[in-house]
Amino acid sequence: MFTAQAPLQLAGGATLGPVQVAYETYGTLAEDGSNAIFICHALTGDAHASGVDPQTGRAGWWDTLIGPGKAIDTDRFFVICPNLVGGCQGSTGPSSVDPTTGVPYGMTFPLLQMSDFVTVHRALLDHLGVRRLRAAVGGSLGGMQVLQWATDFPEQLDQAVVIAASSRLTAQNIAFSAVARQAILRDPQFADGHYLEHSDGPRTGMAIARMMAHITYLSEQGLAEKFGRRFQAEESIGGFGVDFAVESYLDHQGSVFLDRFDALSYLYLTRVMDYFDPFADAAAAERIAAAGTRCLVISFDSDWRFDTSHSRRIVRALLDGGVDVSFREINSPWGHDSFLLTIPDYHRTVAAFLSQADAA
């Protein structure tokens, strides 16, 4: 899609090429192309959104929502899900080899903006011969991509589904990401971003970053129900080891993360989120309204990373611009990660909204 001769022009002014994009599709594209749904993944997601990977045996990260007979029904819809540019699961990112040097980009990889993700998504649609989308759907960072797409190119979307997302991070959100990045950057094995050439990388810093972030994805109620103050062993050691079950859980989450995600991608993608502010453009919502794109915004009442006030801010901006928008706050004890789980009311809401076009 983007080559060295015709590179990707980034919003910040830099260029990047060649660009490789890993993606998966599910279902069959209708002859008139009217049933395509684009899935935008969250921070640490990838292209494998649904079904079981025959090579790894791993279920797709949104397999709860996408598949035959599910809310995003692959018997009805043609579903497209790529790995983000800047990621580390097959698409070009900072761990990719820079063809001009023969070594990984590292910190020379250009900074990205949310609109760059959309540029690449749209190029993928051109590659697949899809001109217009029935819907773009995403949760968390994925929802931010959907919102960017809707504000920049609303004429390409019939519907936009924004789940557990934000249109502008609060100081607290930025602070959490800043601490996570510092844990990575201050790990001696980070080696100024050159670790791919010399070592296994900042594994300690990455594990700590993931452990802290994972706490923000859950809720106090959810942690209490799952772990309480239960000891990992029958008797606590009483020292500074892993005594409590919740400590063991976080330690496990940090460890498994090291095997599937790259520290540089974590730095770059979290920074994109910090600067995202689509409604700084006063005419953004008006463009959505003019195109007739219908929007669904969903929040979860126990999500404190992007609590319902973030979704209400999106809804207010859309309503002020005259957008046809629906909003639901879903009851769930599981915090931010609720968007990944099987919650019947949530799934029914998404399915009903996507069916609106059939009834129109």
Side-chain angles (χ1 to χ4, degrees):
M1 290 183 289
F2 300 100
T3 66
Q5 293 73 35
L8 168 63
Q9 181 68 53
L10 297 169
T15 58
L16 182 67
V19 174
Q20 176 175 300
V21 178
Y23 68 93
E24 292 187 14
T25 65
Y26 316 91
T28 303
L29 183 65
E31 289 187 7
D32 63 0
S34 63
N35 68 333
I37 292 181
F38 199 99
I39 303 299
C40 299
H41 73 67
L43 175 61
T44 63
D46 53 36
H48 181 51
S50 177
V52 176
D53 187 318
Q55 294 183 328
T56 66
R58 180 172 61 90
W61 59 268
W62 226 355
D63 192 58
T64 56
L65 193 74
I66 303 168
K70 297 180 182 179
I72 300 178
D73 188 351
T74 51
D75 288 335
R76 297 175 56 206
F77 301 119
F78 177 64
V79 178
I80 307 158
C81 183
N83 180 224
L84 283 175
V85 65
C88 54
Q89 301 289 341
S91 293
T92 299
S95 60
S96 302
V97 173
D98 180 347
T100 64
T101 65
V103 298
Y105 283 101
M107 298 291 277
T108 67
F109 194 78
L111 291 173
L112 301 169
Q113 296 182 28
M114 203 71 68
S115 58
D116 297 322
F117 300 152
V118 175
T119 298
V120 177
H121 294 341
R122 297 182 72 239
L124 176 58
L125 289 189
D126 288 343
H127 173 74
L128 294 172
V130 176
R131 299 180 60 186
R132 185 176 176 85
L133 290 172
R134 173 71 165 263
V137 183
S140 194
L141 171 58
M144 296 178 180
Q145 295 164 56
V146 172
L147 191 55
Q148 183 75 59
W149 202 332
T151 59
D152 287 352
F153 302 98
E155 68 282 354
Q156 199 166 25
L157 308 179
D158 289 340
Q159 299 173 308
V161 181
V162 179
I163 306 168
S166 177
S167 62
R168 186 175 66 191
L169 298 196
T170 62
Q172 183 185 58
N173 294 141
I174 295 170
F176 279 125
S177 294
V179 173
R181 286 192 295 267
Q182 285 301 313
I184 295 168
L185 291 166
R186 296 189 187 195
D187 186 320
Q189 296 303 311
F190 183 69
D192 294 325
H194 297 291
Y195 59 85
L196 292 163
E197 305 163 52
H198 306 296
S199 72
D200 291 336
R203 294 178 68 84
T204 298
M206 269 288 282
I208 292 170
R210 179 60 172 178
M211 290 166 71
M212 187 192 69
H214 203 73
I215 296 169
T216 73
Y217 301 151
L218 305 175
S219 69
E220 184 173 13
Q221 180 184 350
L223 285 170
E225 290 184 8
K226 190 169 186 177
F227 302 107
R229 289 179 53 83
R230 190 171 70 252
F231 291 120
Q232 181 64 12
E234 290 185 6
E235 295 182 2
S236 65
I237 299 171
F240 296 102
V242 178
D243 292 353
F244 291 90
V246 69
E247 292 179 299
S248 176
Y249 171 75
L250 291 174
D251 187 61
H252 172 72
Q253 291 297 324
S255 296
V256 298
F257 189 58
L258 300 174
D259 297 327
R260 71 176 186 85
F261 212 76
D262 177 64
L264 285 162
S265 286
Y266 198 91
L267 296 179
Y268 275 81
L269 298 182
T270 57
R271 201 53 164 167
V272 173
M273 297 170 71
D274 289 347
Y275 283 94
F276 181 58
D277 189 7
F279 296 125
D281 176 355
E286 294 175 3
R287 290 195 297 273
I288 301 174
T293 303
R294 296 182 300 276
C295 297
L296 171 65
V297 180
I298 293 176
S299 69
F300 298 93
D301 60 359
S302 60
D303 182 355
W304 60 277
R305 184 67 193 258
F306 295 153
D307 65 46
T308 295
S309 68
H310 288 260
S311 291
R312 290 191 185 281
R313 182 178 189 272
I314 295 171
V315 171
R316 283 195 301 271
L318 294 175
L319 287 174
D320 288 346
V323 177
D324 181 352
V325 56
S326 300
F327 169 64
R328 284 292 308 277
E329 182 186 57
I330 303 295
N331 177 256
S332 166
W334 308 117
H336 186 63
D337 270 358
S338 295
F339 81 93
L340 298 171
L341 304 179
T342 301
I343 301 170
D345 193 24
Y346 157 44
H347 287 193
R348 283 193 296 267
T349 299
V350 173
F353 182 76
L354 293 177
S355 295
Q356 286 182 0
D358 294 331

